[in-house]
Amino acid sequence: MSDQDQDDIILKDLDDNELVQQMQDDLYDGMFEEVSEGTQILLDRGWDANMVLNDALVEGMRIVGIDFRDGILFVPEVLQSANAMKGGMGLLRPILAASGTKSSTGKYVIGTVKGDIHDIGKNLVAMMLEGAGFEVINLGINTSVDEFLEAIDTHEPDIIGMSALLTTTMPYMGVVIEELEKRNILKELPVMVGGAPLNQEFADAINAHTYGRDAAMSAELAKVIMGKNR
Ligand code: B1M
C-alpha cells in the first residue's frame, strides 16, 4: 500500500477485522497515534481489553518479531513498533488493572534480568498482576542480583518475578536464584520466571518455583501461590 493510501485510511470506517489487520500493519510501521486510536475504537465498540491486547497488539508484535529474526526489520524499526505497542497498552492498562480486586492480593516484585532490556512482556505481566489485585513493584530492565536483593529487603514481597527474552540472559535467572538459596531466602520466597525463550524444563533446572507462559496465566499462577483463587 502506498503512503498516500495509508494516509487516506480512516480507522473508524473499517470493520473489526479490517481494523485489527490495519492496527497490526500500523504497529509494524511504528505508528503510535494510529495504534492508540485503533485501540480506542475497538474498546468503544465493546471489545474486551484482553481481546484487543491479544488479537491486535500481541499478534502484531509477533509478526514484527518474525521479520526482526529474518533481518527484514532492524533495531530502530523494532523500537518504533515497541513504542507504538506502548501507545495501545497505555489505554488498556487502567481497564485491565481495574478488573481486579481492590484489596491487595499480595506484593510482587518483578524485573527484567541483567543484560536484557526487553520490557514489553514483563510490563504486561505486571499489568495483569495489578489486574489480579497485586501490589506490583516493577524494577524495570537490566536488573542485577543486588537490585533484586535490595527490593526484597525494602518491600518484603510475597513473590519475586524475573523476565528474560534472550537466550544469553536466561542463565542470569539461575544466578539470582542461587544467591537467594545461599541467603536462605528461597524456601520462603516463591520465584516465578518467564519470557519467550523459557520453558518448564528450564525453570525446573534453575530451581524456580513457577514458570509463567504468558501474562494472563502468570497472574493466575500468582493467585494460586497466594492461595487466593480456591
Ligand atoms: Co529483541 N530480540 N533484541 N528487541 N526482540 C527478540 C527477543 C528476538 C527473539 C528477535 C528474533 O531474533 N526473532 C531475539 C532473541 C534471540 C535469542 O536470544 N535467541 C532478539 C534479539 C537478538 C535482540 C538484540 C540482541 C538485537 C541486537 O541488538 N542485535 C537486542 C538485545 C538488547 C538487550 O536486551 N540487551 C534486542 C533489542 C530489542 C529492542 C530494544 C529493539 C526491542 C525491545 C523494546 C522493549 O522491550 N522496550 C526488541 C523487541 C521488541 C523484540 C521482539 C521483536 C518482541 C519482544 C516483545 O516485546 N514481544 C522479540 C521477538 C519476539 O519475541 N517475537 C525480540 C511481545 C511480548 C508481549 O511478548 O516479551 O514474550 P514476550 O512476553 C510474554 C511472555 O514471554 C510472558 O508473558 C508475556 C505476555 O504474554 N512473559 C512472562 C514475559 N516475561 C515474563 C515474566 C513472567 C511470566 C511471564 O514472570 C515473571
Side-chain angles (χ1 to χ4, degrees):
M1 197 181 291
S2 72
D3 285 353
Q4 182 59 47
D5 289 341
Q6 282 274 9
D7 289 346
D8 289 344
I9 292 169
I10 297 170
L11 294 181
K12 67 177 171 35
D13 289 348
L14 301 177
D15 70 28
D16 286 7
N17 285 338
E18 290 167 337
L19 179 56
V20 167
Q21 182 60 56
Q22 185 59 42
M23 284 171 69
Q24 290 173 7
D25 290 350
D26 288 342
L27 191 80
Y28 190 96
D29 294 333
M31 296 166 84
F32 181 98
E33 296 298 336
E34 287 75 2
V35 172
S36 306
E37 188 188 341
T39 301
Q40 190 58 58
I41 293 171
L42 288 177
L43 289 172
D44 291 345
R45 288 183 188 173
W47 273 52
D48 174 72
N50 273 305
M51 265 177 72
V52 181
L53 181 66
N54 291 322
D55 294 5
L57 304 183
V58 173
E59 176 57 18
M61 206 44 139
R62 191 185 66 80
I63 298 163
V64 170
I66 293 168
D67 281 2
F68 187 32
R69 180 196 63 203
D70 295 345
I72 297 164
L73 290 178
F74 297 96
V75 171
E77 287 122 331
V78 178
L79 268 177
Q80 283 186 331
S81 297
N83 186 46
M85 173 133 182
K86 285 180 181 174
M89 276 166 62
L91 293 167
L92 299 177
R93 183 189 170 90
I95 303 169
L96 294 171
S99 60
T101 52
K102 292 287 169 240
S103 62
S104 177
T105 311
K107 251 193 211 180
Y108 193 117
V109 162
I110 190 167
T112 300
V113 295
K114 191 173 166 187
D116 202 321
I117 63 168
H118 295 86
D119 68 354
I120 295 175
K122 183 260 298 165
N123 289 343
L124 262 179
V125 175
M127 217 186 262
M128 293 289 182
L129 287 165
E130 283 174 3
F134 281 86
E135 181 187 341
V136 179
I137 297 104
N138 192 335
L139 303 180
I141 54 172
N142 200 21
T143 312
S144 67
V145 70
D146 287 343
E147 287 168 311
F148 278 113
L149 289 171
E150 196 185 319
I152 292 167
D153 267 356
T154 310
H155 302 288
E156 299 182 343
D158 299 293
I159 306 175
I160 184 154
M162 290 186 276
S163 177
L165 263 284
L166 299 172
T167 45
T168 48
T169 55
M170 286 160 60
Y172 195 78
M173 296 172 154
V175 173
V176 176
I177 290 176
E178 267 175 33
E179 195 57 40
L180 296 178
E181 176 88 76
K182 257 192 236 159
R183 292 168 186 247
N184 249 340
I185 301 174
L186 194 61
K187 59 179 179 347
E188 286 151 19
L189 183 61
V191 177
M192 183 184 291
V193 292
L198 274 74
N199 55 30
Q200 186 65 55
E201 288 67 37
F202 177 78
D204 293 342
I206 60 168
N207 212 10
H209 182 283
T210 309
Y211 163 61
R213 199 192 56 218
D214 58 37
M217 186 197 239
S218 302
E220 284 309 310
L221 288 170
K223 284 197 284 180
V224 172
I225 292 173
M226 299 303 298
K228 287 277 162 78
N229 67 343
R230 276 179 230 143

